[in-house]
Amino acid sequence: MYYKGIYHNFYQYNPYCALWCWGDIVWGHSVSTDLVNWIQLEPVIEPDNPSDTDGCWTGSATILSGGQPVILYTGGSKDKCQVQNLVLPKNPSDPYLREWTKIGNNPVIQPVVPGLNRSQFRDPTTGWIGPDGLWRIAVGAQLKSYTAALLYKSEDFLSWTTVDHPLYSHNSSNMWECNMWECLDFFAVLPGNNSGLDMSAAILRGTKYALKMSVGYFDKYLIGVYDLKRDAFVPDTIVDDCRLWLKIDYGNFYASRSFVDSKKGRRIIWGWSKEADRHSDDVAKGWAGIHTIPRTIWLDSDGKQLLQWPVDEIESLRTNEINHQGLELNKGDLFEINGVDTFQADVEINFELTSIDDADPFDPSWLLDPDKHCCEAGASVHGGIGPFGLVILASNNMDEHTAVHFRVYKSQQKYMILMCSDLRRSSMRSGLCTPAYGGFFEFDLEKERKISLRTLIDRSAVESYGGGGRACITARVYPVFLAVDGKAHMYAFNNGSTTVRVPQLKAWTMRKAKVNVE
């Protein structure tokens, strides 16, 4: 949240070791004035009473009407029962909010809904005010054969009552569903408007809503409307198979949360990317996951999908710009990008198609498993239009490299772009998770023939944004030569039959941010 000129990032943290351990999880706390450089403060919530003795888990911060911040969080008890607790700042005038106090009547919400699995009831959302003046929150739950966002109301944010129907639920009885929805997020968006909307303010005409859930290994979302009379979220399109739901990020990215940045009038989201090496490596380096770069998030002008882009403040780390214009990539071309630190870089490249006639036909079944399709249609497999993109963190002989690339397909009425981040040859080390991540997005190639790619490289972290943020893929890579500070290569490439122009390619070395300094 943003409070009194300070950005606050609260996160689950084990102060005793790098690994997740039941009962040890506290709320870590870091603060920043620019979303880039962070100072670590002492933890704000620790397990010390029966309502959170098994750990202080995910929750949300809400700014009440008078400017008072509050936090709702899930506590775990020894009998595997999950409950929702509330804490208040000891000194609201302190912009750093160093100390918080648990209220005396915790837990404020218990799992008493009929049919509710008491051990699958967690992660309350940020609160919002409805037209009746009451506060609302949603909590993820497993309810009989359904996954649900249970809805609660309150006059004072202290005493909560259950609404007799969920904000939204989905039948999870088929084999493709994944348990319950974690880390729920519910927020308002306007098509084509990148402003951050206050959920408690008057609803503007044309407002849509996004319901985001962390499920399986991904953060997925639905776009729809909020029916105020029914107090229910109604998706624009009902899709039974959750494999077809859109994703916030198609890679190693989970448990994201968003907030309205009142300083700059935008909604910011960021998530957690777990390490993809061995537990022994986590212990050795002292952490088992990182936060991704904060992203501005908004709704596309057609109202169908969310767009994301790194916050502008990240550009303050750019230095040593290189610029190429008017490149042409024919089939098999490999253009080396020199002049930047390839271990810490920001690369922006536009690919312009010389023809769209050679696009291969699109098979809708690929949408069920785009990762599998990225494996079958890798960067070295020639196509009509594509693959084209970037090869990064490449060793001298290309034994190790990561490929981020596009392919263009023609569907009946539209063009579909496949974006892949292929880690299968990213490292020669054993015991790593090295998948090929992939996602599809629609693109109007008749109107706009340029497909953009921005990739941020921070040693083991690679975040890529395709098509102006229509598809995002976060990856974790651990090449052997990175550990010994060898030289990494970076290339723009094209392995498709159709020539691809690069009207502009920019890249910068990225300075190190100060993260969690004392």
Side-chain angles (χ1 to χ4, degrees):
M1 66 177 173
Y2 182 73
Y3 182 74
K4 292 187 180 296
I6 303 291
Y7 292 102
H8 294 260
N9 184 11
F10 304 102
Y11 49 91
Q12 290 184 330
Y13 171 56
N14 184 347
Y16 305 110
C17 77
L19 303 180
W20 175 277
C21 297
W22 295 100
D24 289 342
I25 302 303
V26 307
W27 270 43
H29 183 199
S30 296
V31 293
S32 173
T33 57
D34 60 7
L35 291 171
V36 176
N37 301 288
W38 294 85
I39 297 171
Q40 186 176 25
L41 301 179
E42 57 274 11
V44 295
I45 312 174
E46 301 182 73
D48 59 9
N49 66 40
S51 65
D52 60 17
T53 186
D54 209 20
C56 302
W57 302 342
T58 301
S60 293
T62 300
I63 306 292
L64 301 184
S65 303
Q68 160 99 7
V70 298
I71 286 174
L72 274 171
Y73 72 97
T74 297
S77 62
K78 286 299 182 184
D79 61 357
K80 305 302 180 185
C81 177
Q82 295 176 0
V83 297
Q84 316 314 318
N85 300 305
L86 190 142
V87 295
L88 301 170
K90 279 188 178 180
N91 179 14
S93 65
D94 173 17
Y96 293 101
L97 297 173
R98 292 178 180 88
E99 296 182 279
W100 293 71
T101 302
K102 299 174 184 178
I103 65 169
N105 63 331
N106 276 328
V108 294
I109 302 176
Q110 300 196 51
V112 294
V113 175
L116 174 62
N117 184 337
R118 289 159 48 90
S119 66
Q120 301 289 312
F121 175 62
R122 55 187 176 271
D123 309 345
T125 65
T126 294
W128 73 94
I129 298 175
D132 56 4
L134 298 179
W135 283 100
R136 288 159 172 77
I137 61 162
V139 182
Q142 189 175 44
L143 194 65
K144 296 179 181 177
S145 63
Y146 288 84
T147 52
L150 298 185
L151 190 62
Y152 293 84
K153 289 184 181 181
S154 174
E155 290 185 10
D156 56 8
F157 224 84
L158 297 173
S159 300
W160 294 88
T161 58
T162 310
V163 178
D164 60 6
H165 62 272
L167 177 69
Y168 186 67
S169 62
H170 186 255
N171 190 333
S172 61
S173 59
N174 72 66
M175 63 180 292
W176 301 114
E177 286 296 337
C178 307
N179 294 327
M180 63 162 288
W181 296 335
E182 297 185 296
C183 302
L184 286 174
D185 204 354
F186 185 56
F187 54 91
V189 283
L190 270 175
N193 187 325
N194 62 2
S195 298
L197 300 183
D198 181 355
M199 284 276 289
S200 297
I203 297 177
L204 303 173
R205 184 181 296 274
T207 297
K208 295 279 191 178
Y209 287 79
L211 177 64
K212 189 238 80 174
M213 66 288 291
S214 300
V215 56
Y217 300 99
F218 297 100
D219 279 16
K220 301 184 179 185
Y221 69 91
L222 302 169
I223 299 295
V225 296
Y226 182 25
D227 186 331
L228 293 176
K229 291 182 179 179
R230 292 173 47 209
D231 226 345
F233 171 73
V234 182
D236 289 342
T237 304
I238 303 296
V239 180
D240 288 333
D241 193 333
C242 75
R243 291 177 297 173
L244 297 174
W245 293 4
L246 294 172
K247 296 176 182 176
I248 297 290
D249 190 295
Y250 289 84
N252 183 340
F253 180 98
Y254 196 72
S256 62
R257 279 291 167 89
S258 72
F259 73 100
V260 173
D261 174 14
S262 58
K263 178 181 180 181
K264 293 195 173 182
R266 58 190 170 176
R267 180 168 289 275
I268 292 174
I269 190 170
W270 77 89
W272 167 64
S273 182
K274 65 181 179 180
E275 301 302 303
D277 50 3
R278 294 163 294 215
H279 287 321
S280 58
D281 298 316
D282 297 342
V283 172
K285 62 180 174 265
W287 68 86
I290 60 173
H291 287 110
T292 58
I293 288 171
R295 307 170 180 180
T296 304
I297 186 168
W298 70 101
L299 187 62
D300 196 1
S301 56
D302 63 9
K304 292 183 178 179
Q305 76 165 98
L306 297 172
L307 305 179
Q308 299 165 83
W309 201 250
V311 293
D312 295 341
E313 288 88 337
I314 293 298
E315 296 172 17
S316 67
L317 297 176
R318 287 174 169 176
T319 185
N320 193 31
E321 176 183 332
I322 62 107
N323 193 330
H324 296 280
Q325 296 180 344
L327 301 177
E328 230 178 53
L329 299 175
N330 298 307
K331 181 178 180 180
D333 280 354
L334 200 64
F335 175 82
E336 183 156 14
I337 303 166
N338 291 307
V340 296
D341 180 351
T342 50
F343 288 140
Q344 288 184 188
D346 187 354
V347 186
E348 290 190 356
I349 181 168
N350 287 323
F351 297 97
E352 185 176 26
L353 306 183
T354 58
S355 170
I356 57 177
D357 299 330
D358 295 331
D360 294 323
F362 175 71
D363 183 344
S365 69
W366 295 337
L367 292 171
L368 294 172
D369 195 349
D371 292 0
K372 179 174 180 288
H373 190 58
C374 281
C375 289
E376 296 171 348
S380 61
V381 179
H382 301 296
I385 306 179
F388 56 86
L390 289 173
V391 172
I392 60 173
L393 297 173
S395 58
N396 289 330
N397 56 9
M398 294 284 279
D399 282 347
E400 294 182 318
H401 68 270
T402 297
V404 184
H405 57 89
F406 298 114
R407 284 178 182 266
V408 178
Y409 294 99
K410 180 69 171 73
S411 187
Q412 290 183 342
Q413 304 292 334
K414 58 197 174 187
Y415 288 89
M416 298 293 292
I417 312 297
L418 173 68
M419 178 177 171
C420 300
S421 186
D422 193 343
L423 317 186
R424 289 177 296 168
R425 296 185 63 185
S426 62
S427 179
M428 297 181 69
R429 284 176 55 194
S430 61
L432 306 180
C433 179
T434 55
Y437 296 117
F440 284 95
F441 61 91
E442 295 182 21
F443 205 71
D444 188 350
L445 287 176
E446 303 283 356
K447 179 181 177 182
E448 186 179 0
R449 296 201 176 193
K450 293 179 184 176
I451 304 173
S452 69
L453 175 63
R454 182 177 180 185
T455 295
L456 287 151
I457 306 159
D458 186 10
R459 303 185 76 83
S460 72
V462 178
E463 294 188 37
S464 298
Y465 302 78
R470 287 174 175 83
C472 306
I473 303 179
T474 298
R476 306 301 306 281
V477 297
Y478 310 90
V480 172
F481 71 87
L482 173 59
V484 295
D485 276 337
K487 175 177 170 54
H489 298 273
M490 183 191 307
Y491 306 92
F493 79 94
N494 176 27
N495 273 334
S497 301
T498 302
T499 296
V500 175
R501 293 195 185 100
V502 178
Q504 184 162 278
L505 185 161
K506 290 184 176 181
W508 297 263
T509 293
M510 298 295 276
R511 293 189 297 269
K512 290 183 179 181
K514 296 179 180 179
V515 179
N516 281 355
V517 296
E518 293 297 327

